Amino acid sequence: MRDMNSRRQNNSLDERIGKLLLEREVEDFIAREAAMLDEWRLDEWLGLFTDDGRYVVPSTDVPGGDPKETLGIINDDMARLRGRVERLKSRHAHREFPWSRTRRFITNVRIKEMTEEEIQVNASFLVYRIRSGQVDPLIGGYIYTLKRMDGALKIAVRTAVLDLEALRPHGTLSIIL
Amino acid sequence: MNRHEVIREDRSGGIFRVHRSVFSSAEIAALEQANIFQRCWLYLGHDSEIPNVGDYRRRTVAGQPLFWVRGSDGQVRAFYNSCTHWGANVCRVDQGNAEVFQCFYHAWTFNNRGDLVSVPDETGYGEGFCKEAMGLVSPPRVDNYRGLYFVSFNPEVEDLVSYLAEAKDYIDLILDQSEEGWRVVPGTQKYSVRANWKMFSLNSLDNYHVRPLHSTFFKYTESLGAGDPPVSPPNGFPGTQGRALSLRNGHGVDVFQSLTRARPIAHWHPILGEDSKEEIRSRRVRLVEKFGAERAYLMCNTNRLMLVYPNFALHDIAGVSLRYFEPTGPDYMEVTVQTLAPVDESAGLLNRRLENFLSFLGPGGFAHPDDIEAMESAQLGFRASGPEWIDASRGMRREGTALDEIHVRAFWRQWHANVLGRAKAERDHD
């Protein structure tokens, strides 16, 4: 009787430690990703995605819209995402040449769901874009679908949902949000 | 600068210049509000946005709060979004369905035909109070052409069809591409530009900038491989590339060969996916059967950058986009973009259509952010006091190509007439 109780406690402690470790790992993953983007290490950032990864920013009036049938702002498969990075590295992406400064504040990281294959993570973001005398805050939430591949976390889907009612006065979403 | 002199035109020398003050002057901006935005027809929305009785959408047009609604009698009406009692907005969300609009302030209630149907403590009003006369107020003119609704604050404005002039033919050319009709796809791109609104009108017509400004976009699409080979234009297709055209009343269009670029209707390119090839090709075949080779060529193998004066750009390029924009000051505008799709399009092709749209267009596309950068950069450039004029002379002294500024000059002539208090430009063409 005593053995069973202590084993149950041990299991539960293991579970709680496992959960904490995963939370830390996910938070660390997102913080490292934010640093890559703020430092414009875009090729490295691309390496965080699975081969069939996706990056989506829905429109501000239908924030939950399915990009297959709703006009959004960004809906990149990996081919387009690589094209986007290639473009941003060029001196002909005029909105981002020279690159803007960005600073990302990501918080309230929560693991929403976990299966054998996937972890769904929600987080809040406040991303400042600074350029040409303007400071434009982008406010919203991330919804990540992460997968573990060869031990490392990878991004299968990364959706950035804006709380803004419009990209005003920002005008564009020329950085990676 | 005297407003009579802000445009300099020398036809024999082929020179057309516009004084830069028109982009920053508060006096000009006030004249534009009075003589253009309060006098022209302005785009309101598309029929498919309010398909059912009671459906409504809220809009700001020329700074005025409006909403438009399909009433219980099936009729579409637009109203000023302001209670006839103390003025609060009676429609408080962007879209929905309602039998009545109740003002949240004192609970005056209007039906979806605009009639005032209920006033709390009605007996408190005297005999002179007439409920029938206190309904919601409509802007003086609301009309539609083939489901595109426009509004005018000018009771004397000419009929919409006459106002649209030759732009009507190009609206037909776009809308005829879907036999079953069009619908606005859910999802709206709302953004702003820190520039004068006229920069957007001009950018919407101009083809001269496309290759130099948007080279990263072309690099990307070309990296995806080749699509269906270009179709040879029929005899009589203007120029080798296309043509910039004035459509009268300040409207203009740039028609140019699509060559290898993707068109969901109807020129296949890898960006539209293998799975959509058949649907795209078969629509082209149907359009040739219905309209003949020449018109089908224009529909399927040319693109159109069209501006309906003053502030409604109807683009038929990477998809059909509805872009309208309005100033909130001389150096700031608010932009709204929606897209149309054929009502009978397959889910697969709709997905590809939207992906193709987003590749080029919108605030997160591979091209449009650079348009916005260019407009904002020009607006900053106008602060420089040395250079006084911008130049719009291109193509004045030749037959005209798709890269010329014929439509741009037509815009400016109409604009100048309006700013001087005249309804029409003396000349529509070079």
Side-chain angles (χ1 to χ4, degrees):
Chain A
M1 200 64 185
R2 192 176 294 160
D3 274 349
M4 266 182 78
N5 267 342
S6 71
R7 194 176 305 138
R8 198 173 294 148
Q9 274 171 7
N10 282 341
N11 277 351
S12 131
L13 187 63
D14 283 350
E15 276 170 23
R16 284 158 65 197
I17 289 171
K19 186 167 173 283
L20 267 174
L21 287 174
L22 181 64
E23 282 169 353
R24 273 304 300 136
E25 187 186 6
V26 167
E27 282 179 7
D28 181 59
F29 178 83
I30 291 174
R32 281 191 296 117
E33 186 203 16
M36 285 177 199
L37 290 172
D38 282 344
E39 292 160 20
W40 290 87
R41 290 184 276 132
L42 299 182
D43 286 319
E44 204 177 327
W45 176 71
L46 276 179
L48 298 180
F49 283 79
T50 61
D51 292 339
D52 58 351
R54 251 191 136 84
Y55 164 51
V56 177
V57 183
S59 58
T60 50
D61 66 330
V62 192
D66 176 355
K68 286 189 168 62
E69 53 188 41
T70 312
L71 180 67
I73 298 168
I74 290 168
N75 178 22
D76 284 351
D77 57 13
M78 283 315 284
R80 256 192 316 284
L81 192 53
R82 284 188 205 101
R84 183 177 298 279
V85 164
E86 207 50 44
R87 175 179 136 75
L88 285 170
K89 284 160 53 185
S90 139
R91 61 186 296 275
H92 300 288
H94 307 285
R95 187 65 168 179
E96 289 298 337
F97 183 80
W99 284 333
S100 50
R101 296 179 186 181
T102 66
R103 183 64 64 180
R104 288 148 211 270
F105 300 85
I106 299 166
T107 182
N108 304 4
V109 178
R110 287 151 296 153
I111 293 170
K112 294 291 284 186
E113 268 183 51
M114 211 166 93
T115 64
E116 286 285 302
E117 294 83 31
E118 291 181 353
I119 311 167
Q120 196 190 306
V121 177
N122 290 16
S124 303
F125 65 77
L126 170 55
V127 179
Y128 285 97
R129 174 179 184 267
I130 301 117
R131 190 172 179 275
S132 302
Q134 309 286 351
V135 181
D136 290 329
L138 293 148
I139 304 154
Y142 289 123
I143 304 166
Y144 284 93
T145 303
L146 302 176
K147 288 184 179 174
R148 196 175 289 284
M149 302 180 81
D150 302 324
L153 291 175
K154 293 273 181 184
I155 302 169
V157 187
R158 182 181 188 277
T159 305
V161 182
L162 285 162
D163 292 331
L164 302 173
E165 292 175 297
L167 281 170
R168 297 172 185 156
H170 315 65
T172 62
L173 194 54
S174 50
I175 57 165
I176 306 276
L177 180 58
Chain B
M1 173 56 79
N2 181 321
R3 66 190 157 111
H4 289 270
E5 294 165 3
V6 292
I7 289 186
R8 265 190 199 166
E9 185 168 357
D10 166 12
R11 292 176 76 192
S12 60
I15 295 295
F16 192 102
R17 295 207 167 124
V18 182
H19 197 263
R20 294 174 176 220
S21 61
V22 308
F23 295 106
S24 53
S25 152
E27 186 196 336
I28 291 281
L31 282 168
E32 288 173 343
Q33 279 304 327
N35 295 354
I36 296 175
F37 289 98
Q38 301 304 319
R39 297 203 69 79
C40 290
W41 281 103
L42 303 171
Y43 181 68
L44 177 67
H46 185 258
D47 195 54
S48 66
E49 294 178 271
I50 49 169
N52 304 309
V53 162
D55 285 351
Y56 64 87
R57 297 259 181 159
R58 186 167 66 160
R59 288 273 196 275
T60 300
V61 179
Q64 303 215 40
L66 304 181
F67 70 102
W68 62 307
V69 54
R70 193 174 296 272
S72 55
D73 55 357
Q75 197 184 320
V76 171
R77 295 178 182 84
F79 297 110
Y80 294 105
N81 189 6
S82 180
C83 182
T84 52
H85 176 225
W86 274 18
N89 295 147
V90 295
C91 174
R92 305 239 298 149
V93 290
D94 283 335
Q95 64 184 85
N97 183 285
E99 280 179 34
V100 295
F101 296 88
Q102 184 175 66
C103 181
F104 69 106
Y105 201 169
H106 301 92
W108 282 32
T109 305
F110 305 85
N111 65 23
N112 57 25
R113 298 188 305 275
D115 308 316
L116 176 60
V117 291
S118 154
V119 175
D121 193 20
E122 199 177 330
T123 54
Y125 291 96
E127 280 176 12
F129 181 84
C130 176
K131 218 161 76 174
E132 287 68 34
M134 295 295 278
L136 291 170
V137 180
S138 287
R141 302 285 292 276
V142 180
D143 201 353
N144 85 94
Y145 181 70
R146 297 190 63 175
L148 295 167
Y149 276 82
F150 291 78
V151 63
S152 181
F153 302 108
N154 173 12
E156 308 301 322
V157 73
E158 65 187 306
D159 287 345
L160 179 61
V161 165
S162 136
Y163 176 85
L164 290 173
E166 292 163 32
K168 185 176 87 62
D169 304 337
Y170 284 87
I171 293 174
D172 290 341
L173 190 63
I174 296 169
L175 297 184
D176 284 348
Q177 291 168 24
S178 169
E179 302 100 309
E180 304 296 323
W182 297 82
R183 68 184 180 97
V184 169
V185 178
T188 313
Q189 296 180 337
K190 298 180 186 181
Y191 55 99
S192 56
V193 187
R194 289 160 166 138
N196 184 271
W197 69 276
K198 296 187 288 300
M199 298 295 295
F200 210 106
S201 302
L202 302 173
N203 177 271
S204 296
L205 288 166
D206 175 45
N207 201 351
Y208 189 34
H209 78 269
V210 174
R211 276 280 161 181
L213 187 68
H214 301 313
S215 62
T216 58
F217 167 75
F218 292 105
K219 198 175 162 200
Y220 168 68
T221 53
E222 280 155 19
S223 77
L224 298 175
D228 285 347
V231 178
S232 298
N235 289 335
F237 183 73
T240 52
Q241 291 260 312
R243 183 70 55 88
L245 296 166
S246 161
L247 301 175
R248 299 199 291 114
N249 288 351
H251 317 309
V253 70
D254 202 281
V255 186
F256 58 102
Q257 280 183 284
S258 185
L259 299 174
T260 57
R261 281 166 76 172
R263 285 185 54 83
I265 301 175
H267 191 88
W268 183 84
H269 178 275
I271 203 168
L272 294 169
E274 285 294 327
D275 46 358
S276 69
K277 221 180 226 174
E278 271 320 297
E279 188 172 347
I280 290 171
R281 288 177 180 169
S282 69
R283 192 182 283 273
R284 192 179 196 290
V285 169
R286 290 205 307 278
L287 290 171
V288 171
E289 278 169 10
K290 189 168 175 188
F291 294 102
E294 199 161 318
R295 191 165 171 80
Y297 173 82
L298 285 174
M299 288 172 162
C300 303
N301 301 98
T302 66
N303 294 317
R304 272 151 293 281
L305 308 172
M306 176 159 63
L307 179 77
V308 176
Y309 183 88
N311 67 336
F312 175 45
L314 185 53
H315 276 190
D316 175 18
I317 175 164
V320 179
S321 63
L322 311 167
R323 312 199 295 177
Y324 41 105
F325 41 95
E326 56 179 57
T328 59
D331 57 0
Y332 189 81
M333 73 179 102
E334 295 188 341
V335 186
T336 307
V337 178
Q338 294 170 295
T339 191
L340 293 175
V343 293
D344 58 335
E345 191 165 73
S346 72
L349 183 50
L350 173 64
N351 178 29
R352 296 298 194 166
R353 167 187 290 277
L354 295 174
E355 288 184 342
N356 184 42
F357 183 102
L358 291 183
S359 299
F360 189 93
L361 296 166
F366 284 18
H368 194 52
D370 296 334
D371 290 313
I372 294 169
E373 182 73 2
M375 292 182 230
E376 293 189 351
S377 180
Q379 191 71 28
L380 291 173
F382 296 149
R383 292 184 190 175
S385 62
E388 282 193 68
W389 303 85
I390 63 158
D391 187 280
S393 313
R394 195 176 158 75
M396 264 180 107
R397 302 282 288 161
R398 68 174 174 189
E399 186 74 359
T401 76
L403 301 183
D404 288 347
E405 293 167 335
I406 292 159
H407 38 33
V408 166
R409 290 187 287 279
F411 172 89
W412 281 120
R413 291 191 188 102
Q414 177 66 25
W415 173 87
H416 199 209
N418 288 161
V419 163
L420 294 177
R422 301 172 193 145
K424 303 265 182 184
E426 281 171 31
R427 245 188 14 264
D428 285 316
H429 302 275
D430 286 342

